[in-house]
Amino acid sequence: KAGVTQTPRYLIKTRGQQVTLSCSPISGHRSVSWYQQTPGQGLQFLFEYFSETQRNKGNFPGRFSGRQFSNSRSEMNVSTLELGDSALYLCASRPGLAGGGTQYFGPGTRLLVL
Amino acid sequence: TQLLEQSPQFLSIQEGENLTVYCNSSSVFSSLQWYRQEPGEGPVLLVTVVTGGEVKKLKRLTFQFGDARKDSSLHITAAQPGDTGLYLCAGEVSYNTDKLIFGTGTRLQVFP
């Protein structure tokens, strides 16, 4: 089985722009979570989707949004980019049964905001 | 706010040495996971501990979950250069969500 894939792998944007990141989970996985990783704050939970519904949300401003499609692929969007949004954005998937199954992480999208 | 503190933050040792990484919280977690992350990649799960007091071994790595399910440790025996990486503990908030609270991370460098 192919692993979790994320596109693009690298992205450079300027302040005020918006960006959309994509995540394709492992085939058959219905749960997708997003995390932001920065040197200062570490890995922080953004949101979690299951069957196209947002199941949980972290403490991030409304500029951060996401969605999940019927094929379980997910996108996250960040509007009005700020310098502090520069980070590695990680997506993880698992079958979807809460409390069971390993979460598999993708390689991440590294976003640089200038 | 649930926090997981890891110590030490950085560790630089010679091949063959033993080391222990600690992961502490004031919160109780339904399970605790340990990951290793290498540059340019996402974290890879090493182990999940669920029961208070549980000890799991993975070759030279020994993981322990505290009796109260608030803390955990990772012990590596005879470290190898291939063990180099960022070690992260992560607590599962509850069984009804995939949300993980990640620790602050321990960056390990093993020199040959």
Side-chain angles (χ1 to χ4, degrees), chain B:
Chain B
T1 304
Q2 292 167 297
L3 293 172
L4 275 168
E5 299 284 343
Q6 278 185 245
S7 61
Q9 194 175 355
F10 299 98
L11 201 49
S12 186
I13 61 173
Q14 292 293 130
E15 181 176 1
E17 291 185 31
N18 301 332
L19 66 115
T20 301
V21 178
Y22 299 94
C23 176
N24 295 298
S25 175
S26 57
S27 302
V28 176
F29 292 99
S30 58
S31 72
L32 201 134
Q33 302 171 11
W34 284 92
Y35 291 82
R36 187 173 81 190
Q37 185 178 19
E38 300 192 26
E41 298 181 12
V44 175
L45 181 69
L46 296 173
V47 78
T48 300
V49 285
V50 179
T51 307
E54 183 176 2
V55 177
K56 279 193 176 177
K57 289 194 173 186
L58 186 67
K59 295 183 181 178
R60 294 176 294 99
L61 279 60
T62 301
F63 305 86
Q64 185 160 9
F65 201 12
D67 291 340
R69 290 188 290 128
K70 294 182 179 181
D71 55 86
S72 181
S73 64
L74 156 61
H75 182 80
I76 301 179
T77 303
Q80 305 291 313
D83 296 327
T84 294
L86 177 66
Y87 288 82
L88 297 157
C89 63
E92 193 164 39
V93 174
S94 75
Y95 288 115
N96 296 320
T97 174
D98 289 349
K99 177 179 178 180
L100 293 174
I101 305 295
F102 276 86
T104 45
T106 295
R107 193 165 294 281
L108 171 65
Q109 177 79 53
V110 182
F111 291 98

Side-chain angles (χ1 to χ4, degrees), chain A residues 17-93:
Chain A
Q17 287 188 309
Q18 75 163 20
V19 67
T20 299
L21 311 181
S22 180
C23 171
S24 292
I26 291 172
S27 178
H29 286 193
R30 296 167 63 192
S31 175
V32 173
S33 298
W34 288 89
Y35 293 83
Q36 181 197 63
Q37 186 174 29
T38 59
Q41 299 297 319
L43 262 154
Q44 292 186 289
F45 173 79
L46 278 158
F47 20 67
E48 167 196 347
Y49 288 88
F50 177 72
S51 291
E52 302 178 66
T53 301
Q54 189 179 85
R55 194 157 64 172
N56 214 333
K57 191 176 190 301
N59 296 323
F60 279 81
R63 299 185 298 106
F64 291 81
S65 62
R67 58 179 177 168
Q68 186 180 34
F69 302 94
S70 58
N71 62 358
S72 295
R73 192 177 69 84
S74 178
E75 288 181 348
M76 66 163 282
N77 184 277
V78 187
S79 62
T80 320
L81 284 166
E82 300 177 1
L83 296 179
D85 297 332
S86 295
L88 180 67
Y89 289 89
L90 292 160
C91 162
S93 80

